């Protein structure tokens, strides 16, 4: 039996009818299925059980540890207040685009969604704007590179984000001595 992921979640497939898949897609799906729930130091507001950080097919979320009886869930927030309602916080969301037939797009919106409809396609960062003092700035990906900018109306502050250096790989060690150049062995 092989553990597979489909559009409705994980399932087992018999080896006789297994379809060859690319290794990358297979391992990406398998990692999220095997992660255990992480307990948090909070209590469920409905039944008093502990809350846990769960890993589902749409990403991470917070849910009640007494799942079959209590179905309380909430998204993981970024800790940045919404500029429109000043009550909710930013949450990472996704959309399929054009009726589900487009590419998956990530956007950031208010956790009080039906009441507050503020969204932005750019990733918010919990740094105040140095020019106007707005409570957060956003990180945009443009043709010239990654840019940090202010979203507040009337503020035109922008700067290039510092580049992150990739981690250096250690030099490979040789277990055998290489053959001299020009000598066939």
């Amino acid at each position: 039996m092989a553990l597979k992921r489909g559009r409705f979640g994980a399932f087992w497939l018999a080896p006789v009818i297994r379809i060859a898949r690319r290794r990358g897609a297979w391992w990406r799906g398998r990692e999220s299925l095997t992660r255990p729930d992480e307990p948090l130091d909070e209590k469920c507001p409905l039944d008093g059980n502990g809350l846990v950080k769960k890993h589902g097919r749409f990403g991470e979320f917070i849910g009640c540890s007494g799942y079959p009886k209590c179905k309380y869930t909430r998204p993981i927030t970024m800790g940045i207040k919404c500029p429109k309602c000043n009550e909710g916080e930013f949450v990472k969301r996704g959309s399929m685009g054009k009726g589900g037939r487009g590419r998956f797009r990530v956007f950031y919106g208010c956790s009080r969604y039906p009441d507050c409809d503020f969204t932005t396609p750019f990733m918010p960062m919990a740094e105040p704007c140095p020019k106007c003092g707005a409570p957060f700035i956003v990180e945009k990906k443009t043709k010239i590179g990654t840019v940090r900018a202010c979203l507040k109306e009337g503020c035109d502050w922008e700067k290039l984000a510092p580049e992150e250096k990739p981690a250096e790989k250690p030099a490979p060690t040789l277990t055998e001595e290489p053959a001299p150049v020009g000598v066939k062995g």
Side-chain angles (χ1 to χ4, degrees):
M1 297 292 284
L3 182 63
K4 296 287 184 175
R5 277 192 72 158
R7 60 184 239 204
F8 299 113
F11 65 95
W12 291 97
L13 185 65
V16 175
I17 57 173
R18 183 172 25 189
I19 299 171
R21 298 201 179 193
R22 291 180 297 172
R23 181 182 172 131
W26 164 257
W27 289 108
R28 272 193 307 266
R30 190 167 180 204
E31 289 167 359
S32 66
L33 291 175
T34 57
R35 279 191 253 161
D37 295 343
E38 301 170 23
L40 301 174
D41 295 334
E42 299 177 54
K43 298 288 182 188
C44 176
L46 301 180
D47 67 353
N49 284 337
L51 292 178
V52 291
K53 184 178 184 182
K54 296 180 174 255
H55 308 278
R57 56 186 264 215
F58 296 113
E60 296 178 339
F61 64 97
I62 296 173
C64 183
S65 61
Y67 164 65
K69 293 179 182 173
C70 178
K71 299 197 187 310
Y72 174 79
T73 61
R74 73 169 196 241
I76 296 175
T77 60
M78 299 178 77
I80 303 170
K81 290 279 187 192
C82 173
K84 188 172 182 182
C85 68
N86 290 324
E87 292 179 33
E89 294 182 356
F90 277 111
V91 175
K92 185 177 181 180
R93 298 181 186 255
S95 109
M96 289 306 288
K98 296 191 179 180
R101 293 187 314 264
R103 70 180 179 118
F104 185 75
R105 291 178 178 90
V106 173
F107 66 94
Y108 303 88
C110 185
S111 60
R112 299 181 54 239
Y113 167 61
D115 300 327
C116 178
D117 60 353
F118 181 82
T119 62
T120 178
F122 311 115
M123 185 176 79
M125 301 177 72
E127 297 176 21
C129 174
K131 186 173 180 182
C132 69
F136 70 95
I137 59 174
V138 294
E139 194 169 85
K140 302 178 183 181
K141 297 201 187 313
T142 63
K143 290 180 183 178
I144 60 170
T146 305
V147 175
R148 293 186 177 166
C150 182
L151 277 186
K152 193 170 184 180
E153 205 148 320
C155 183
D156 58 349
W157 180 82
E158 268 190 7
K159 82 168 191 171
L160 280 172
E163 290 185 28
E164 295 179 17
K165 296 178 182 175
E168 292 184 22
K169 295 180 183 177
T173 57
L174 297 174
T175 55
E176 299 177 9
E177 282 191 33
V181 179
V183 177
K184 293 184 182 178

